[in-house]
Amino acid sequence: MELLNSAVVDWSRGQFALTAMYHWLFVPLTLGLGVIQAIMETIYVKTGDEKWKKATKFWMSIFGINFAIGVATGIILEFQFGTNWSNYSYFVGDIFGAPLAIEGILAFFMEATFISIMFFGWNKVSKGVHLAATWLTITGATLSALWILIANAWMQLPLGMEFNPLTARNEMIDFWAVVSSPVAINKFFHTVYSGWILGSLFVLGVSAWYLLKKREVDFAIKSIRIAAIFGIISSVLIIWTGHGSAKQVAYHQPMKLAAMEGLYEGKSGAPLIAWGFLNPEKKSYADNVEPIVLAVKLPKVLSWMAFGEADAFVPGIKDIIDGGYEVPKIDPRYQDRVPVRADGTALSFDEKKAMGQRAQTALSNFLKAEKEKDTVAMAEYKSILDANYKNFGYGYLDKAEDSIPNVPLTFYSFRIMVILGGAFLLLFLIAAYLDWKKQLHKFKWILWVFILFIPLGYLATQLGWVVAEVGRQPWTIQDILPVQAAVSGIQSSSVKITFILFAVLFTGLLIAEIGIMKRQIVKGPKIEEKADKNDDSDTY
Amino acid sequence: MITYSFLQHYWWFIISLLGGILSFLLFVQGGQTLIGSIGKTENERKLLTNVIGKKWHYTFTTLVTFGGAFFASFPLFYSTSFSGALWVWMLILACFILQAVSYEYQNKPGNFFGRNAYRGFLFFNGLAGTFLIGAAIGTFFTGSEFLVNKANIAEFSGQFAPVISQWQHPLHGLEALFNLRNWLLGLTVFFLARTMAVLFFKNRIKDNNIEGRLNGALLKNAVPFVVFFLTFLIWTLLAEGFAVNPETNEVYMEKFKYFNNLIQVPALLILLLVGVAGVLYGIIFSMLKSTWRKGVWFAGPGAIITVTTLLLMAGFNYTAYYPSTYDLQSSLTIFNSSSSYYTLKVMSIVSFLIPFVLAYIFYAWNALEKNHATIDEFKEGHSY
């Protein structure tokens, strides 16, 4: 099939990845720090202790610096669906636009309104109202995450819609199905917890620096206490949502799971690869080369994690392309989303591609018949379209390899994320223990470890998105629309220019942000010393 | 029974209203272009910055919501205009990105670019953001060059497969600047934003030196605003418009289409007159009585009503709101570009929450504006 210049697709993907990853540098800290500062202000309001107020205000100043650049990098993401993914915007805009609009109406305004009271209202509203504004700011930010993750989850598991050939697009038929999608709910909590963990790591690391410098000791210990407890709770919760996420991927995106595990040949009682190296000798999904070397395997764990049974069959990449394996039973609400052969086994790539092409030809013929007002032909083509639509997107793919995501990126990202997640829990437990034993100041090297874990927190949360998004390639909408057919009709040179524009712009702003944050941290909350009245550098 | 057509009209009204509110809130951008000329000392500039700085989130959020609501209710516009008029939208986005950090970062130590750079970003946002939004909206009346063919999605080959919306001008949006009427609307929005900013400053600031300069600035900005606006309005009312045949949905050129819309839908005419009267009343009485501070509360709602009505005029009464001069039949109307009945219905239910949102905005706005702003207020504590 003659599709668009692949450079447009690659650069558009690159730009989306660039802007989304930049945005995601700032959002998790907003989500985590927002809750931590709200907890601190709650303690201040309850106890009346001014030290807690100063601690709150310090973390709020960091929050403000981070929030501004989060807003700056966020606006492009919304409009980018239109600028670079115009076909996508039309093809699924009837469903996808709604959560974005609701995010604006219900979440952004809540954030925008109450953040002004949070920053400017200290002496203008009562303590209680101010506290409410602080909580409502973070509630708004979290609701914003909810709506955008509902939208993202829908791309991974498209529910509550049907294709309307008259308008040549997908249309929403069940809003509740979109909103209450199990993938959306799990993704929301998993993502928010990752923000909470990052916020905790950040507070832990910055506070450790004060302890090392022997400055603001009381403030630092108070902050570490809150961060450690909050971090432990978040880390335990994220294990639960992570497991939920693995199960959902196993059922709804088996190719992603196979890529995450580097699993080419499916197995019953499949082991989980705790660590291993991808074999560079493996050139094709169909060769018999062992894909992973030096693997540390946990027997049967993958089967159990994915399907709840130690001997369950987990299909590999080759199985998914060849078809013929028995499709696992899933929640009957979603069972008919995946067409199978008459004997209940999975379709091969070629069969799916044939279905996709039949659906596309039927749509083309339907639209021609509609122009000629031939209602009999329209009905006939619609029935062909309906019967084949669930694999519509495969019609755009050339060969089986096109349906495989980047395995190394997905495989390593997943492992590093999980290992780091475990390390974070351990770190929070150590912090809590040392605080409890009042020994934090005695272990300088551990305080340094706390600091070094801040960038690792960022790395882990970025890698989570790499697994989620790279792992689902080539699909913008699972099985319905691949990236090749989702882009805009623009020149690749245009996308290169905007890519460079955003790369330069965001990098410049990031440098500024880091510079300001560093100075703000060095300056500190000034709880133990009297602030210099003439020093107005904490003002904008 | 709520019909599909009713929902399409309702959502065009919501989009128009958001556009109207945005046009008023662009006073923040207008104010950003005035900081240097009205503030002569650093303290004065700081005061001016902070008075509008407490409101920048609202403008920004309204712009984002305007985009989101447009996406949800008229997705074909979203896919056609944003990819097609790419450079105009990218420039608008770039200058709003710069704005979002500039208030917070400008006076912070370690900010890398230095304070003047951030002030420069704010000025650029105020100038380019307002002008380009105005020029982009101008194309709602003057047209653009694009082709829409839904069948492309299922085409296997050919120049346009599989992209549905294809822009036909190589400048991808910048060609809007070849049209004088787009310039007029761009300049109208720019001077409107500055005029509103002056009225807002007059309302908020208690400082003799600044207040004196504001009176001069009002004249310098309000006069060009009125001249550009009236020229654009009269030209548009006299020009050919993009009409839709209610029976066949065919788009055709109609003489005096927008004027006819006002005559055939008298409510629009009344709204337009009320809106314009509000704007002029706010401006003229502020000029006549230099101590009167309430001008913005007449001119602001007036601007909202006027711009809302202009957008309604572009989409109601069987008019193509985003016309294609390349292929008239590709023009977007509220009927051929809207979301499905179900989606519009769901979104309409969501829209009932808007008054609740407005209520807490009203509360928060008032909570922070109990007293007039003075230079002393921003010397300590959290300020920009």
Side-chain angles (χ1 to χ4, degrees), chain A residues 432-471:
Chain A
Y433 178 77
L434 291 179
D435 174 42
W436 180 46
K437 292 285 175 191
K438 301 196 188 320
Q439 307 237 315
L440 273 166
H441 57 286
K442 285 189 182 165
F443 294 91
K444 281 196 173 177
W445 66 273
I446 287 186
L447 295 175
W448 276 110
V449 171
F450 288 176
I451 297 171
L452 291 174
F453 262 70
I454 295 177
L456 294 178
Y458 282 100
L459 179 67
T461 191
Q462 291 280 345
L463 292 179
W465 276 111
V466 170
V467 175
E469 299 301 294
V470 174

Side-chain angles (χ1 to χ4, degrees), chain A residues 193-207:
Chain A
Y193 297 152
S194 83
W196 290 3
I197 290 173
L198 183 73
S200 303
L201 288 171
F202 188 88
V203 170
L204 203 62
V206 172
S207 305

Side-chain angles (χ1 to χ4, degrees), chain A residues 33 37 40 50-65 119 122 202-203 205-207 209-210 215-216 219-220 223 516-527 538, chain B residues 104 108 382:
Chain A
L33 205 50
Q37 71 194 15
M40 288 185 176
E50 284 291 316
K51 282 185 180 170
W52 280 109
K53 182 181 177 185
K54 285 188 177 172
T56 306
K57 284 181 99 168
F58 171 75
W59 292 117
M60 269 181 193
S61 72
I62 301 289
F63 178 91
I65 297 162
F119 279 128
W122 281 105
F202 188 88
V203 170
V206 172
S207 305
W209 184 80
Y210 287 120
R215 285 178 54 192
E216 312 285 356
F219 158 82
S223 296
I516 295 170
M517 213 177 247
K518 209 180 102 198
R519 293 284 284 269
Q520 195 73 11
I521 290 168
V522 170
K523 199 176 116 194
K526 295 191 172 170
I527 292 176
D538 68 333
Chain B
E104 185 74 24
K108 289 268 196 295
H382 195 99

Side-chain angles (χ1 to χ4, degrees), chain A residues 441-508:
Chain A
H441 57 286
K442 285 189 182 165
F443 294 91
K444 281 196 173 177
W445 66 273
I446 287 186
L447 295 175
W448 276 110
V449 171
F450 288 176
I451 297 171
L452 291 174
F453 262 70
I454 295 177
L456 294 178
Y458 282 100
L459 179 67
T461 191
Q462 291 280 345
L463 292 179
W465 276 111
V466 170
V467 175
E469 299 301 294
V470 174
R472 66 154 150 145
Q473 294 302 318
W475 303 112
T476 60
I477 302 294
Q478 186 71 36
D479 301 339
I480 305 289
L481 191 71
V483 282
Q484 297 93 310
V487 287
S488 301
I490 48 181
Q491 302 291 320
S492 62
S493 56
S494 301
V495 193
K496 280 181 206 168
I497 293 170
T498 53
F499 178 94
I500 293 166
L501 171 78
F502 291 120
V504 170
L505 201 59
F506 288 174
T507 306

Side-chain angles (χ1 to χ4, degrees), chain A residues 12-85:
Chain A
S12 296
R13 284 183 61 198
Q15 183 175 309
F16 205 96
L18 172 90
T19 49
M21 289 176 89
Y22 256 111
H23 186 51
W24 195 250
L25 282 177
F26 313 110
V27 176
L29 186 61
T30 297
L31 295 175
L33 205 50
V35 177
I36 290 174
Q37 71 194 15
I39 292 172
M40 288 185 176
E41 190 178 339
T42 307
I43 299 173
Y44 157 64
V45 172
K46 288 245 172 206
T47 62
D49 183 348
E50 284 291 316
K51 282 185 180 170
W52 280 109
K53 182 181 177 185
K54 285 188 177 172
T56 306
K57 284 181 99 168
F58 171 75
W59 292 117
M60 269 181 193
S61 72
I62 301 289
F63 178 91
I65 297 162
N66 179 69
F67 185 82
I69 191 167
V71 173
T73 50
I75 187 171
I76 180 64
L77 285 175
E78 181 193 30
F79 288 96
Q80 204 164 225
F81 288 109
T83 56
N84 291 64
W85 302 94

Side-chain angles (χ1 to χ4, degrees), chain B residues 103-143:
Chain B
Y103 282 104
E104 185 74 24
Y105 289 5
Q106 58 177 316
N107 267 337
K108 289 268 196 295
N111 66 13
F112 188 60
F113 297 108
R115 184 170 63 195
N116 288 339
Y118 292 98
R119 292 240 169 110
F121 295 159
L122 289 179
F123 185 88
F124 174 61
N125 171 242
L127 175 68
T130 52
F131 174 76
L132 289 174
I133 287 177
I137 300 297
T139 63
F140 283 40
F141 299 93
T142 59

Side-chain angles (χ1 to χ4, degrees), chain A residues 1 65 71-72 78-79 83 86-87 90 94 110 113 119 124 129 169 172 175 364 396 512-513 516 539-540, chain B residues 60 64 68 78-79 82 104-105 107-108 118 153 156 162 164 338-340 342-343 360 364 377 381-384:
Chain A
M1 183 191 306
I65 297 162
V71 173
E78 181 193 30
F79 288 96
T83 56
S86 99
N87 243 25
Y90 177 72
D94 193 67
M110 187 182 277
T113 304
F119 279 128
K124 295 189 174 172
V129 169
R169 68 177 181 193
M172 185 154 43
F175 179 67
S364 187
Y396 293 108
E513 193 245 12
I516 295 170
T539 62
Y540 296 125
Chain B
F60 199 94
V64 173
Y78 206 77
S79 66
F82 286 99
E104 185 74 24
Y105 289 5
N107 267 337
K108 289 268 196 295
Y118 292 98
I153 193 85
F156 290 82
I164 287 167
S338 81
S339 281
S340 63
Y342 180 84
T343 298
Y360 68 63
E377 184 187 349
H382 195 99
S383 64
Y384 292 120

Side-chain angles (χ1 to χ4, degrees), chain A residues 116-144:
Chain A
S116 61
I117 293 188
M118 191 176 96
F119 279 128
F120 295 102
W122 281 105
N123 301 319
K124 295 189 174 172
V125 296
S126 70
K127 270 187 191 178
V129 169
H130 192 276
L131 178 63
T134 303
W135 277 109
L136 285 167
T137 301
I138 188 57
T139 304
T142 310
L143 281 177
S144 152

